[in-house]
Amino acid sequence: MISTMHRVYERSAYFFPFSILGAPLLIGLFWLLGNGFATANPYAYLLSVSGLGLLILLGILARLQAGRISDDHIAWNTKHLVFAGKEPAPHSLEIRGIKLLPFFRVRYTVSGALRTGDTYLGRYRRSGRFAPGRTERIELMLGLPHCGRFHAELVLCVEDIFGLSRARCGLSQTRHIPVQPGVIGRPVEYRIAERGAEEKNRMQESEVERYYMREYIPGDRFRDINWKASGRGDKLFTRISPIAQEETTTVTIYARFHGEATRLSPGLLSLAEYQKAWIISFILKVREEHPDFLFQVYLNNDSRLLESEDDLELFAADLGNTWFTRQPSELPDLPAEGEVYLFATAADRGIDAVRTAYPKLDLLLYLSRLGKSEELKQIEKLSSAVDWSLYPAYQGEDFPAPALLFGRVREKETLSRRLPGISREAVLNPQLIRR
């Protein structure tokens, strides 16, 4: 039923030639026309007919020009990564090969819902207009405060400079844009989230190939086989790192997003946002100091190996779209022994079960929690608490949803007493909107 009503609305919006300002004016002119006939007032009759003629003409011209704009003329660039709470990503909109009549402009509207998993966080909307031909490229800087996935929709219309008539251009475009966690304490470097082709020197490639290749040994990973090099002879060759494989170190990370209550609240949102940023910052810091390290990451019960920038990028997108779930009956298949960096929040009640299930593991617990006001005063005397704004550096429209502004989740007990052995603890002081 809802989808049918949505389709009816879409079709009505597509064919209706007037805007929110033009529709009341149209009704008023018809009323004035009827009143002119009823009272035999020639001035009312002349004024209403002139206004209706002009309004209908504007609607016809807008529709004719909108019909000339197809998807081939529109380029919506959303390839740059978006990081939560950081500088807006340099997205853009281009319309090429189109010129409009002097009194007409193209209006663009980018809107959509921001979700993390199935949890709705709020809406974002931005609109503006420009004259194709004079300006072909419009900056659509996209900045969002929270991790997740932005379900964006782009709608283009042709309208007159008075904003009375409006005609939709083709079909609306939709994108699902990942919003990744921002790195704590430093700006991000925006780059295109797409693998680009590289030009390589053939002589250098062959030298690197010989240096990084060796004959295949049973037990090597199947995906490391270089089929191109193997096709030149009767032996299989596998790619290896300049550092011997036996010297490669794998860092194991277990990120838990579990809680008894999974309903969205400002406190839970604050914990999730900080923990996601903390995990990414931790990985990047280790990679800076040890570029050859690999990362075996368990995100709830999902496991993956991070070896390259592409792996980290895909993981960051999945991490940003993760929300709290209830503790499952089974734990992931962690290593039997060794060090595991365990990231958890104060909402988690299953950390002790992890310790019991893996007694030989050296669990390094990184815990994020909310602090009470009196506790924060004591902490500030010893060390600075993390002042984590719920909506950092956000200047957009229609966000956040008003429902997120009430209440905070507070712990009723000191986590250090309930969970001994905490390796590092982030005490958060969530603030409401801070401009």
Side-chain angles (χ1 to χ4, degrees), residues 256 327 331 349-358:
R256 290 174 56 90
Q327 170 68 51
L331 294 172
R349 291 293 185 268
I351 301 176
D352 289 330
V354 179
R355 288 174 172 157
T356 303
Y358 301 96

Side-chain angles (χ1 to χ4, degrees), residues 24 44 87 89 105 124 135 164 193 197 242 244 249 255 282 337 414 427 430-431:
E87 297 82 4
R105 300 290 185 267
Y124 172 90
T135 305
L164 301 177
T249 301
F282 175 82
E337 55 186 14
T414 302
V427 183
Q431 304 292 328

Side-chain angles (χ1 to χ4, degrees), residues 180-425:
Q180 299 190 6
V183 184
I184 297 175
R186 60 178 176 178
V188 296
E189 295 181 2
Y190 286 104
R191 62 186 182 88
I192 294 178
E194 186 177 64
R195 301 178 186 179
E198 295 183 11
E199 294 183 1
K200 298 182 180 179
N201 182 284
R202 185 62 195 168
M203 183 177 296
Q204 292 179 352
E205 182 183 5
S206 62
E207 291 176 355
V208 173
E209 253 184 11
R210 289 195 299 269
Y211 183 71
Y212 289 97
M213 299 295 160
R214 65 162 167 78
E215 188 176 347
Y216 175 80
I217 299 175
D220 289 339
R221 293 181 305 186
F222 186 75
R223 70 177 186 178
D224 287 340
I225 296 177
N226 188 332
W227 296 104
K228 187 176 181 180
S230 303
R232 301 170 187 161
D234 57 353
K235 296 181 180 179
L236 292 177
F237 294 92
T238 182
R239 301 181 182 89
I240 62 172
S241 170
I243 303 174
Q245 284 187 337
E246 56 270 13
E247 296 179 359
T248 301
T249 301
T250 300
V251 179
T252 304
I253 298 174
Y254 181 21
R256 290 174 56 90
F257 288 86
H258 297 308
E260 293 298 322
T262 60
R263 185 178 179 180
L264 180 65
S265 66
L268 206 59
L269 179 61
S270 182
L271 291 175
E273 293 293 309
Y274 187 82
Q275 176 158 295
K276 293 173 184 179
W278 198 359
I279 294 170
I280 294 296
S281 302
F282 175 82
I283 294 176
L284 292 178
K285 182 64 175 178
V286 175
R287 282 173 61 92
E288 288 179 359
E289 299 176 354
H290 305 281
D292 56 305
F293 279 15
L294 306 180
F295 296 86
Q296 185 69 46
V297 181
Y298 297 85
L299 180 57
N300 287 342
N301 280 27
D302 179 36
S303 173
R304 68 190 71 195
L305 182 65
L306 307 184
E307 300 179 277
S308 63
E309 290 289 340
D310 293 327
D311 295 338
L312 181 57
E313 182 179 309
L314 292 174
F315 168 71
D318 292 340
L319 177 64
N321 200 38
T322 300
W323 186 247
F324 291 91
T325 62
R326 292 186 177 275
Q327 170 68 51
S329 57
E330 297 182 357
L331 294 172
D333 189 14
L334 298 175
E337 55 186 14
E339 286 187 345
V340 172
Y341 293 89
L342 174 59
F343 287 83
T345 70
D348 197 343
R349 291 293 185 268
I351 301 176
D352 289 330
V354 179
R355 288 174 172 157
T356 303
Y358 301 96
K360 296 183 179 181
L361 274 184
D362 185 7
L363 289 174
L364 303 174
L365 176 58
Y366 282 37
L367 183 70
S368 57
R369 66 183 178 92
L370 301 179
K372 300 179 181 179
S373 57
E374 60 272 12
E375 182 186 10
L376 289 169
K377 293 178 181 179
Q378 297 297 325
I379 293 176
E380 289 173 356
K381 297 178 181 179
L382 303 176
S383 60
S384 59
V386 181
D387 188 10
W388 185 256
S389 174
L390 281 177
Y391 314 101
Y394 184 67
Q395 301 295 332
E397 304 175 20
D398 300 343
F399 201 97
L404 301 185
L405 302 182
F406 302 98
R408 297 185 184 182
V409 174
R410 295 297 191 187
E411 289 297 319
K412 296 182 180 179
E413 54 184 322
T414 302
L415 268 293
S416 301
R417 297 176 182 174
R418 186 175 65 82
L419 293 173
I422 297 175
S423 303
R424 187 175 176 186
E425 189 175 34

